[in-house]
Amino acid sequence: MKTSIAVKKTRHIGRKALLSALAITGTVGIVSTVQASGCGYQCDNAYYTSRVYFSGGYHRCNDDARTVRTAFNGVLKLRYSPTCRTTWASVPSNFYYYYLDHSSYFDPAATGLRKRNYNQGGWMLNDAGFFNETCAATSNSGFHCTGLY
């Protein structure tokens, strides 16, 4: 559990500061292995329940997934897997939407589009070093976005 928390902190504090703190606690080796793993680009457009081979074994990205952002009163969710380092859109089956956009950006200003999935809830995008979000539109409530993660 400690490794997933440490990995996420690399997005919010400097790499040097994190490695210094980890060197003191003796957990550098564990975090480096987790940071280097993940399925990367091979997970782009793979379904989140699929078995994906990377780091010497098969993994299901939904096994350790958590919701990291929500919109539209929690109905629209951006899910994240620390092991796979991927995100995907999640909407309930009874939620009617006519547009779903799961996007990955090179920069936090959401100006450098890397890849996009339209109308495909559950299809993953690599999140290792990128900023991803999910947006959906309904016929009567407009356009909603989870925000970048």
Side-chain angles (χ1 to χ4, degrees), residues 1 10-11 25 42 57 74 95 98-99 101-102 105 108 114 121 129:
M1 190 64 170
T10 61
R11 295 186 127 177
T25 62
Q42 81 181 49
F95 179 70
Y98 67 87
Y99 177 80
D101 177 10
H102 182 206
Y105 299 95
R114 182 187 73 83

Side-chain angles (χ1 to χ4, degrees), residues 7-45:
V7 169
K8 199 60 202 167
K9 285 184 180 178
T10 61
R11 295 186 127 177
H12 303 291
I13 65 174
R15 181 180 170 91
K16 211 177 221 183
L18 176 65
L19 291 177
S20 297
L22 293 173
I24 293 167
T25 62
T27 57
V28 173
I30 295 169
V31 173
S32 298
T33 303
V34 173
Q35 285 179 332
S37 67
C39 55
Y41 292 102
Q42 81 181 49
C43 275
D44 278 349
N45 300 317

Side-chain angles (χ1 to χ4, degrees), residues 38-119:
C39 55
Y41 292 102
Q42 81 181 49
C43 275
D44 278 349
N45 300 317
Y47 200 69
Y48 74 97
T49 59
S50 302
R51 287 180 43 180
V52 182
Y53 186 84
F54 65 94
S55 298
Y58 285 95
H59 305 273
R60 289 187 199 278
C61 296
N62 64 322
D63 285 348
D64 67 345
R66 61 184 189 259
T67 300
V68 292
R69 298 280 188 271
T70 63
F72 196 62
N73 297 319
V75 173
L76 177 64
K77 298 175 184 177
L78 181 66
R79 303 278 291 157
Y80 173 76
S81 166
T83 298
C84 296
R85 298 183 73 187
T86 56
T87 62
W88 60 91
S90 174
V91 290
S93 60
N94 63 345
F95 179 70
Y96 173 75
Y97 60 90
Y98 67 87
Y99 177 80
L100 182 66
D101 177 10
H102 182 206
S103 301
S104 181
Y105 299 95
F106 289 106
D107 59 71
T111 57
L113 181 67
R114 182 187 73 83
K115 191 162 183 75
R116 174 172 273 156
N117 287 336
Y118 289 110
N119 296 319

